[in-house]
Amino acid sequence: MELHILEHRLQVASVAKESIPLFTYGLIKLAFLSSKTRCKFFSLTETPEDYTIIVDEEGFLELPSSEHLSVADATWLALNVVSGGGSFSSSQPIGVTKIAKSVIAPLADQNISVFMLSTYQTDFILAHDLRVNLEYQESYRWRLEKRQEQDLTGPAAGPQLTDLTPLPGPPPSPQCSSSPGLSILCLCALTVQRPVIHPLSSPSNRFCVTSLDPDTLPAVATLLMDVMFYSNGVKDPMAASDDCGHIRFFSFSLIEGYISLVMDVQTQQRFPSNLLFTSASGELWKMVRIGGQPLGFDECGIVAQISEPLAAADIPAYYISTFKFDHALVPEENINGVISALKVSQAEKH
């Protein structure tokens, strides 16, 4: 695996449901007329509470300045973990549980707050408190070889290396790098205690993780706009028969020309089936929502709280952080085991 620090400088913002009409012009331009902007990273997620917008600085200029737009204080960097040395555009998603041990846990242990965005193509880690140091690719290969040696031969004498372990010797002066493919993290913060445990819930929805060819976007633009911006005024008859555990959740991402969608089954059935890409297995997902009250942006270890037990159980997961809560999607057949594993993990940490 390789850890890339991308060039995007991102803003994370929230819009209340009743205020979304004030921003639809800019959001439609970002989602459907991206060639008219300089934006390369845009994501919009609707939850029961609000809309979360993740957008690069160029795209942020398309949104009107308004008291109805709540913006997180920090500017966020985007990290991307890929396998085989390729860029995310040519890779398959590794999944948050695959990087739980090598990336997510070390960041949490070093008191670095992260925001997670999984897409159909790949997984992004957003962080705003990184000490970033540019190293040569040979140094990265050395680190990876040492890690592989440990995996093959078992524990060695001395400290164990992870993908984020600083290189031997005094730490170099921190500097920020936006060069993909050559960037290595040097984490200089002191290790701290993990945060409080957050409550979990699982709505009754069944979800799909899918994608759409950008060339076919005009064919479903009207439907997508209806789903993205007017859900409050439309009562889905299929959802009406569901129980009260059904929630509203829809996520649209357009990143470097690649579209990713997360929607429940009822919403997916509104789309032409031949236009959406899904995995060969057609797998459906259930959701675990994290948080009983809005989560803090400065709190560390929230993603690790979920990803580590799932990684230990070898259960894949997509993970989407929003302005107020976090959301993990796991294969439908695993949901009961996931809830049990997470509750056991929480009990052990109390």
Side-chain angles (χ1 to χ4, degrees):
M1 293 190 298
E2 288 189 2
L3 180 63
H4 295 233
I5 302 175
L6 307 180
E7 62 182 3
H8 310 293
R9 293 175 59 83
L10 305 174
Q11 299 290 338
V12 178
S14 169
V15 177
K17 292 289 190 77
E18 62 271 16
S19 301
I20 199 65
L22 301 174
F23 301 92
T24 51
Y25 176 81
L27 294 172
I28 287 172
K29 187 175 180 181
L30 291 169
F32 302 99
L33 301 171
S34 58
S35 61
K36 305 296 184 182
T37 75
R38 298 178 60 188
C39 180
K40 301 297 182 184
F41 195 113
F42 169 66
S43 178
L44 178 71
T45 300
E46 181 187 359
T47 67
E49 296 76 27
D50 61 357
Y51 287 87
T52 294
I53 301 167
I54 305 174
V55 65
D56 59 28
E57 291 181 326
E58 292 78 9
F60 190 72
L61 298 175
E62 302 291 341
L63 302 178
S65 178
S66 171
E67 62 181 2
H68 299 284
L69 184 69
S70 302
V71 184
D73 291 337
T75 298
W76 300 72
L77 299 176
L79 286 70
N80 176 230
V81 182
V82 298
S83 58
S87 65
F88 75 83
S89 62
S90 61
S91 66
Q92 290 297 314
I94 293 176
V96 65
T97 55
K98 298 298 183 183
I99 56 176
K101 181 179 180 181
S102 59
V103 181
I104 298 297
L107 289 174
D109 288 338
Q110 298 294 335
N111 199 28
I112 293 176
S113 177
V114 301
F115 207 76
M116 191 79 196
L117 177 64
S118 294
T119 69
Y120 184 82
Q121 292 81 19
T122 190
D123 303 276
F124 297 97
I125 306 165
L126 277 57
H128 65 82
D129 191 27
L130 291 175
R131 281 71 168 171
V132 181
N133 181 60
L134 180 64
E135 297 287 352
Y136 291 105
Q137 189 72 21
E138 288 75 16
S139 297
Y140 185 89
R141 289 185 182 133
W142 176 88
R143 180 195 314 272
L144 189 59
E145 288 170 1
K146 292 297 182 183
R147 178 60 186 272
Q148 290 172 339
E149 288 177 9
Q150 292 176 356
D151 291 341
L152 291 174
T153 62
Q160 294 295 292
L161 292 171
T162 72
D163 293 344
L164 300 182
T165 303
L167 293 171
S173 300
Q175 63 183 33
C176 183
S177 165
S178 60
S179 302
L182 297 178
S183 299
I184 304 297
L185 296 181
C186 174
L187 304 180
C188 307
L190 295 176
T191 301
V192 296
Q193 186 68 31
R194 290 288 181 86
V196 297
I197 300 300
H198 292 284
L200 309 172
S201 61
S202 182
S204 61
N205 311 54
R206 303 162 73 214
F207 290 93
C208 309
V209 179
T210 184
S211 184
L212 182 71
D213 185 337
D215 291 338
T216 65
L217 190 57
V220 292
T222 301
L223 174 56
L224 259 178
M225 282 187 276
D226 184 55
V227 169
M228 292 168 69
F229 303 120
Y230 302 104
S231 62
N232 283 347
V234 177
K235 186 65 175 178
D236 190 334
M238 300 186 70
S241 61
D242 205 347
D243 60 34
C244 59
H246 191 282
I247 68 165
R248 174 64 188 170
F249 187 93
F250 181 84
S251 184
F252 172 95
S253 297
L254 176 57
I255 302 174
E256 296 287 357
Y258 290 85
I259 295 175
S260 179
L261 301 164
V262 178
M263 65 187 85
D264 61 25
V265 172
Q266 289 82 8
T267 304
Q268 184 201 34
Q269 291 172 353
R270 298 176 60 184
F271 288 81
S273 59
N274 60 326
L275 293 185
L276 297 178
F277 300 134
T278 58
S279 63
S281 62
E283 195 165 35
L284 295 178
W285 303 76
K286 295 283 286 185
M287 176 184 290
V288 178
R289 292 234 305 168
I290 300 97
Q293 58 185 5
L295 306 172
F297 283 101
D298 293 328
E299 187 176 341
C300 306
I302 299 173
V303 181
Q305 171 193 336
I306 304 300
S307 63
E308 287 184 298
L310 297 186
D314 197 27
I315 297 174
Y318 286 87
Y319 200 103
I320 298 178
S321 300
T322 61
F323 203 86
K324 295 182 178 179
F325 298 100
D326 281 11
H327 309 81
L329 295 168
V330 300
E332 182 179 27
E333 64 270 18
N334 295 128
I335 186 62
N336 292 332
V338 165
I339 295 297
S340 298
L342 293 177
K343 287 182 177 179
V344 168
S345 176
Q346 288 184 343
E348 291 174 348
K349 293 178 180 180
H350 267 301

